[in-house]
Amino acid sequence: MTQAKKKPKEKAAVKAKRKRTRLSPEVRRKQILEAALAEFSAMGFAATSISRIAGRVGISKANVYVHFSSKDQIFETLLQSLSSVGKSQGSWSRIQEARDVSEFIDNLIDVTYEALTPEALAIMRLLISEGHRIPDVLAKWHEANLQGRAERQAAIDEQVAAGRMKANPLTEHFEFAMTPVVYAAVAKLTFGDAAAEEVERIKDTHRKLLRQLL
Amino acid sequence: MTQAKKKPKEKAAVKAKRKRTRLSPEVRRKQILEAALAEFSAMGFAATSISRIAGRVGISKANVYVHFSSKDQIFETLLQSLSSVGKSQGSWSRIQEARDVSEFIDNLIDVTYEALTPEALAIMRLLISEGHRIPDVLAKWHEANLQGRAERQAAIDEQVAAGRMKANPLTEHFEFAMTPVVYAAVAKLTFGDAAAEEVERIKDTHRKLLRQLL
Amino acid sequence: MTQAKKKPKEKAAVKAKRKRTRLSPEVRRKQILEAALAEFSAMGFAATSISRIAGRVGISKANVYVHFSSKDQIFETLLQSLSSVGKSQGSWSRIQEARDVSEFIDNLIDVTYEALTPEALAIMRLLISEGHRIPDVLAKWHEANLQGRAERQAAIDEQVAAGRMKANPLTEHFEFAMTPVVYAAVAKLTFGDAAAEEVERIKDTHRKLLRQLL
Amino acid sequence: MTQAKKKPKEKAAVKAKRKRTRLSPEVRRKQILEAALAEFSAMGFAATSISRIAGRVGISKANVYVHFSSKDQIFETLLQSLSSVGKSQGSWSRIQEARDVSEFIDNLIDVTYEALTPEALAIMRLLISEGHRIPDVLAKWHEANLQGRAERQAAIDEQVAAGRMKANPLTEHFEFAMTPVVYAAVAKLTFGDAAAEEVERIKDTHRKLLRQLL
DNA sequence: AATGAATGAGACTTCATTCAT
DNA sequence: GATGAATGAAGTCTCATTCAT
């Protein structure tokens, strides 16, 4: 059980021995990071071997070390590169394009739940399970989140001031409005497909409640 | 200085080589499971070594194998024994002892947020990061959750029917009311102490909103 | 494959927990030696664990150490006690009871091939595979063999002098007459039951040739 | 003083830490198999450690695993590669080059006893002590032996038909003629050098008897 | 005498990493 | 840049043996 899918021990006699291809560093690095994200998220840092990452990319272990100096460095680079991804960058502006509150809520719900992509979930799992490896990155991330949050709060405050939204505990602390999404994410992370229905109901109630409250 | 304390008769033992202590299997197993929970949760399954678990208990590696036949078995035993812990067993009845809605809400909030103990968070982190190792246990857990949820919903429905609570999306799907706690948990898991203040605000807003909605 | 018959890893939950019985040292020692012969012969010295020996006897590992001070000692004691068994002690006198050459040959063949019991083969395998552990015992054994051989040769010489047997290379070096038995033994050791038919043929030809030569 | 000898540039390397040498897989595999044969034969499978094999080759333990995936695999590969060695391949044809029976016998005796090389004995000991690990290989070996035997028998039958050899139990079952060699082999395996003289006598008598019988 | 708990040593094996081509 | 061979360190697990009851 230690390794969910034990590959047969026999050496793969027939190797798909693809001719060595020489790629630009940037491309290779990206390939490696992608493979690393997939593996780290699925297996955890310690259980992921450079071998597997290399295998997924289709290069040799040694070649990984041409592009990164250590497993740790891969991990850090990965998480750093992800901080940007995480930020629902463009999303917020898209959400705000709404012309009335109703449309705003729809946008909000749709965009946010759509953001629960497998990749985003992978990042989230990584943060939860291996975050302790990268306190600095986490701290920055946290900081960035706080700032983004402040901006969003400001936008809401404006709406309230303009009388387009009601003043209530939710508009005063708008971040709270998004907490159910985290629940949905955790449900997916933990129970996988078995959580699909549940997530739908959450999303539904979420939308209804926002309509009632905003 | 470490050596200064040594009594004359003792052999030059840098490691305080304490006499072997003999305990009953039940006690040792419990000790080992506790140590394992701490380590697995902090480091993940793969990164936790039997050595560390043994060290934490203060016994030899080999002795661990007297009580468990493999690292996997420790993990499984641990998670199985935790399924029971997880269920907020008695909590719900305590919550319901409330005499009016206001007290009910206070109970609910207090009990639920107090349940975010380090141990509970450890279990949660384990479930998220290593849950894939134990699909069976997870499935049972899910099942049990669904049932508990149904019971709680029934209790709420009763309150609504009795006119003691308002009918609205939240009372119709009461599980939703607890989703912010998961957010709080994830915040703690990810940012640790840095999340303390945030969790407080969440809890606060959570309470206010429930008061408004129920 | 390392261990031909892997026992399931799970701890035997139900132990045949027989009440502790206290036996006289002699009896226990004998039991242990018997179990040891079986295991050592089947698995080799290194691959045999004290656990298995104890299990076979139905006692605890620790109890084995009450009767022997180490695994090595068990082995040596065993082989020493076997030196006597090995010598076809009484056999030769039984063979010589024959009244004529024909009966002598029949006795010789029958007694010798019957001596290829599983136990004797076990000892032989032990001597071949683990003999290097006990050079002293081996030396003594060799010595004893040489002596017995000399005695048998003398008996044959007498027969030849008396004109009851022909003088030829075989009677001059009578030990040679028994070499096919070793072949039969090795065949059994190596091929087990698959060698049965072959051994029969050997025995047959052996008998015929002796008739022709003596 | 240990430090006194150190040349300035050299690291404190008590072990003559020779530079890593890089060899082709074929060569290394062969080296490992040779070392393994020596060790397995001398100590038995279980008592032989990968460490010892690696040490004998002069490489690291880990490097052994670059070329073989497990100790078992080394063993199997070894025995499989030996099946071919064992067969007295070319020998028989060389024996048959004889121009008369006398020369045939000389060839037979010489070639056969010369085949009792240390390596051949090592293989034989392995077959006896660890054969049970590889029933398949043994079965094939047996089969091959039977066939070779049949061919040799046919050659003998021809000689008899041509009147160049006498018809007798030995020519009817020619395999029997070689049984003393196995005795000699076992004597060497068990008593080592102490058996040398005995083997000589056996060989001598063997030759004489064949002369008389063929 | 008997045993269950405990342990140090050591075995197999994996893996991140280095080296030479 | 790319790779196959090589390795030190570390991890899981087994086992002979000891200790206290």
Side-chain angles (χ1 to χ4, degrees):
Chain A
M1 205 206 83
T2 299
Q3 292 225 339
K5 304 166 193 172
K6 255 186 207 164
K7 297 271 179 68
K9 276 295 173 70
E10 335 262 315
K11 304 240 158 167
V14 183
K15 296 190 188 179
K17 183 87 171 177
R18 73 176 63 199
K19 269 286 168 65
R20 43 162 90 177
T21 26
R22 192 191 184 97
L23 293 184
S24 78
E26 297 80 36
V27 177
R28 274 282 191 254
R29 281 179 67 94
K30 203 162 202 170
Q31 287 182 328
I32 292 171
L33 289 175
E34 271 167 25
L37 173 58
E39 295 289 336
F40 283 154
S41 167
M43 325 277 291
F45 179 83
T48 294
S49 70
I50 296 287
S51 233
R52 285 184 67 94
I53 294 176
R56 194 177 260 261
V57 177
I59 61 179
S60 70
K61 257 187 309 180
N63 195 8
V64 172
Y65 284 88
V66 170
H67 300 281
F68 294 91
S69 65
S70 73
K71 195 180 168 186
D72 278 294
Q73 207 210 28
I74 297 178
F75 185 77
E76 279 164 37
T77 309
L78 182 63
L79 269 281
Q80 249 137 28
S81 78
L82 291 182
S83 348
S84 42
V85 174
K87 288 172 210 153
S88 27
Q89 284 297 72
S91 346
W92 183 245
S93 53
R94 195 145 45 93
I95 292 167
Q96 283 200 299
E97 283 166 8
R99 266 166 298 175
D100 57 17
V101 173
S102 173
E103 201 178 315
F104 170 81
I105 290 173
D106 281 347
N107 282 354
L108 187 64
I109 291 289
D110 291 344
V111 166
T112 320
Y113 282 80
E114 271 161 22
L116 298 181
T117 60
E119 206 201 14
L121 291 173
I123 297 172
M124 185 167 170
R125 175 182 273 126
L126 258 191
L127 284 182
I128 291 175
S129 55
E130 311 282 354
H132 61 96
R133 291 178 187 284
I134 41 155
D136 322 348
V137 179
L138 271 188
K140 271 189 212 155
W141 190 303
H142 197 194
E143 203 59 41
N145 270 359
L146 288 180
Q147 197 183 333
R149 198 175 302 176
E151 288 167 15
R152 290 192 290 273
Q153 184 66 52
I156 296 298
D157 290 347
E158 215 177 295
Q159 299 290 320
V160 174
R164 282 194 293 275
M165 281 188 190
K166 305 169 195 161
N168 63 25
L170 193 61
T171 47
E172 269 170 36
H173 178 198
F174 190 68
E175 176 69 6
F176 187 90
M178 295 337 290
T179 58
V181 184
V182 171
Y183 179 95
V186 169
K188 281 191 163 192
L189 281 181
T190 315
F191 302 112
D193 294 334
E197 194 192 349
E198 205 165 336
V199 168
E200 272 318 301
R201 282 199 72 196
I202 291 289
K203 185 175 166 187
D204 222 53
T205 304
H206 197 177
R207 191 190 309 263
K208 286 185 195 154
L209 266 182
L210 287 186
R211 279 192 201 292
Q212 175 172 342
L213 286 165
L214 296 183
Chain B
M1 203 207 75
T2 303
Q3 308 230 335
K5 287 183 181 177
K6 260 191 283 172
K7 303 259 183 81
K9 274 199 176 174
E10 294 182 359
K11 299 249 166 175
V14 178
K15 299 190 175 184
K17 181 90 168 173
R18 74 178 63 208
K19 269 286 170 66
R20 43 162 89 173
T21 32
R22 185 198 179 88
L23 294 182
S24 78
E26 294 81 36
V27 176
R28 272 283 190 256
R29 282 178 69 96
K30 205 162 203 168
Q31 288 182 329
I32 294 171
L33 289 175
E34 270 166 27
L37 174 57
E39 295 289 334
F40 283 153
S41 168
M43 325 278 292
F45 180 84
T48 294
S49 71
I50 296 287
S51 235
R52 285 184 66 95
I53 295 176
R56 193 177 261 260
V57 177
I59 60 179
S60 69
K61 261 185 298 181
N63 196 12
V64 173
Y65 284 90
V66 170
H67 299 282
F68 294 91
S69 62
S70 71
K71 194 180 166 186
D72 278 323
Q73 209 211 31
I74 297 179
F75 185 77
E76 279 165 37
T77 308
L78 185 62
L79 270 279
Q80 250 139 28
S81 77
L82 291 181
S83 347
S84 42
V85 174
K87 288 170 211 153
S88 30
Q89 284 299 71
S91 350
W92 183 245
S93 54
R94 196 143 47 90
I95 293 169
Q96 282 199 299
E97 284 166 7
R99 266 166 296 176
D100 57 16
V101 172
S102 171
E103 201 180 315
F104 170 81
I105 291 174
D106 280 347
N107 283 354
L108 186 65
I109 291 289
D110 291 344
V111 166
T112 320
Y113 281 80
E114 271 162 21
L116 297 182
T117 60
E119 205 202 16
L121 291 172
I123 296 173
M124 186 169 171
R125 177 182 273 126
L126 258 191
L127 283 182
I128 291 176
S129 56
E130 310 284 352
H132 60 97
R133 289 177 186 285
I134 41 154
D136 320 349
V137 178
L138 271 188
K140 270 190 214 156
W141 190 304
H142 197 195
E143 201 60 40
N145 271 357
L146 288 181
Q147 197 185 331
R149 199 175 299 176
E151 287 167 14
R152 291 191 290 272
Q153 183 67 52
I156 297 299
D157 290 348
E158 215 177 295
Q159 300 290 319
V160 173
R164 282 192 293 273
M165 281 186 188
K166 306 167 195 164
N168 63 24
L170 193 60
T171 46
E172 268 170 37
H173 178 196
F174 190 69
E175 177 68 8
F176 187 91
M178 297 335 292
T179 57
V181 184
V182 170
Y183 179 94
V186 169
K188 282 191 164 191
L189 280 180
T190 315
F191 302 112
D193 294 336
E197 194 191 350
E198 204 166 339
V199 169
E200 273 316 303
R201 283 198 71 198
I202 293 288
K203 186 174 163 187
D204 224 51
T205 305
H206 196 176
R207 192 190 308 262
K208 287 185 194 154
L209 265 182
L210 287 186
R211 278 191 201 290
Q212 175 172 344
L213 287 166
L214 295 184
Chain C
M1 206 208 80
T2 298
Q3 292 225 339
K5 305 166 192 173
K6 255 185 208 168
K7 297 272 179 68
K9 275 294 173 71
E10 334 263 316
K11 305 241 161 167
V14 184
K15 295 190 189 177
K17 184 88 170 178
R18 75 175 64 202
K19 268 286 166 67
R20 43 162 90 178
T21 25
R22 191 192 184 96
L23 292 185
S24 77
E26 297 81 36
V27 177
R28 273 283 191 254
R29 280 178 69 95
K30 203 162 201 170
Q31 288 182 327
I32 293 171
L33 289 175
E34 270 167 27
L37 174 57
E39 295 289 335
F40 283 152
S41 168
M43 324 278 291
F45 180 83
T48 294
S49 69
I50 295 287
S51 233
R52 284 183 68 94
I53 295 177
R56 195 177 257 261
V57 177
I59 61 179
S60 72
K61 257 187 306 180
N63 195 9
V64 172
Y65 284 88
V66 170
H67 299 281
F68 294 92
S69 64
S70 74
K71 194 180 168 186
D72 278 295
Q73 207 212 28
I74 297 179
F75 186 76
E76 279 163 37
T77 308
L78 182 63
L79 268 282
Q80 251 139 25
S81 78
L82 291 181
S83 346
S84 42
V85 174
K87 287 173 212 154
S88 30
Q89 284 299 70
S91 347
W92 183 245
S93 52
R94 196 144 46 91
I95 292 168
Q96 281 199 299
E97 284 166 6
R99 266 166 296 174
D100 57 15
V101 172
S102 172
E103 201 178 316
F104 171 80
I105 291 173
D106 281 348
N107 282 356
L108 187 64
I109 293 287
D110 291 344
V111 166
T112 320
Y113 282 80
E114 272 162 19
L116 298 182
T117 59
E119 206 201 12
L121 292 172
I123 296 172
M124 185 169 170
R125 177 182 272 127
L126 258 192
L127 284 181
I128 291 176
S129 55
E130 310 284 353
H132 62 96
R133 288 176 189 283
I134 41 155
D136 323 346
V137 179
L138 270 187
K140 271 190 212 155
W141 191 304
H142 197 195
E143 202 59 41
N145 270 358
L146 287 182
Q147 196 183 333
R149 198 176 300 176
E151 287 168 14
R152 290 192 290 273
Q153 184 66 53
I156 296 297
D157 290 347
E158 213 178 297
Q159 299 289 319
V160 173
R164 282 193 293 275
M165 281 186 188
K166 305 168 194 163
N168 64 22
L170 194 60
T171 47
E172 268 170 37
H173 178 199
F174 190 67
E175 176 69 7
F176 188 90
M178 297 336 291
T179 57
V181 184
V182 170
Y183 179 95
V186 169
K188 282 190 163 192
L189 280 180
T190 316
F191 301 112
D193 294 335
E197 195 191 347
E198 206 164 337
V199 169
E200 272 317 302
R201 282 198 72 196
I202 292 288
K203 185 174 165 187
D204 223 51
T205 304
H206 197 178
R207 192 190 308 264
K208 286 185 195 154
L209 266 182
L210 286 186
R211 279 191 201 291
Q212 176 172 341
L213 287 165
L214 295 183
Chain D
M1 202 207 74
T2 301
Q3 309 230 336
K5 287 182 179 176
K6 260 191 285 173
K7 303 259 184 79
K9 273 197 176 178
E10 296 183 357
K11 297 253 167 175
V14 177
K15 298 189 176 187
K17 182 89 167 173
R18 72 178 62 211
K19 270 284 171 66
R20 43 162 89 172
T21 33
R22 185 198 179 89
L23 294 182
S24 77
E26 295 81 36
V27 176
R28 271 285 189 255
R29 282 178 68 96
K30 205 162 204 167
Q31 289 182 328
I32 293 170
L33 289 176
E34 270 166 28
L37 174 57
E39 294 289 335
F40 283 153
S41 167
M43 324 279 292
F45 180 84
T48 294
S49 71
I50 296 287
S51 234
R52 285 184 67 93
I53 295 177
R56 194 177 260 260
V57 177
I59 60 179
S60 69
K61 260 184 301 179
N63 196 11
V64 173
Y65 284 89
V66 170
H67 299 282
F68 294 91
S69 62
S70 71
K71 194 180 167 186
D72 279 323
Q73 209 210 31
I74 296 179
F75 185 77
E76 278 165 37
T77 308
L78 184 61
L79 270 277
Q80 249 139 28
S81 78
L82 291 181
S83 348
S84 41
V85 174
K87 288 172 212 152
S88 30
Q89 285 297 72
S91 349
W92 184 245
S93 53
R94 194 143 49 89
I95 291 168
Q96 283 198 300
E97 284 166 6
R99 267 165 297 175
D100 57 16
V101 172
S102 172
E103 201 179 316
F104 170 81
I105 290 172
D106 281 348
N107 281 356
L108 187 64
I109 292 289
D110 291 344
V111 166
T112 320
Y113 281 80
E114 272 162 18
L116 297 182
T117 60
E119 206 201 14
L121 291 172
I123 296 172
M124 185 168 169
R125 176 182 272 125
L126 258 192
L127 284 181
I128 291 175
S129 55
E130 310 284 353
H132 61 96
R133 289 178 185 285
I134 41 154
D136 319 349
V137 178
L138 270 189
K140 269 190 213 155
W141 190 304
H142 197 195
E143 202 59 42
N145 271 358
L146 287 181
Q147 197 183 331
R149 198 175 301 176
E151 287 168 14
R152 291 192 290 272
Q153 184 66 52
I156 296 297
D157 291 346
E158 217 177 294
Q159 299 290 317
V160 174
R164 283 193 293 274
M165 281 187 189
K166 305 168 195 162
N168 63 24
L170 194 60
T171 47
E172 268 170 36
H173 179 198
F174 189 69
E175 176 69 9
F176 188 90
M178 296 336 290
T179 57
V181 184
V182 170
Y183 179 95
V186 170
K188 282 190 162 190
L189 280 180
T190 315
F191 302 112
D193 294 335
E197 194 192 347
E198 204 166 338
V199 168
E200 272 317 303
R201 284 198 70 198
I202 292 288
K203 185 174 165 187
D204 222 52
T205 303
H206 197 177
R207 192 189 309 263
K208 286 185 196 153
L209 265 182
L210 287 186
R211 278 195 201 290
Q212 175 173 340
L213 287 166
L214 295 183

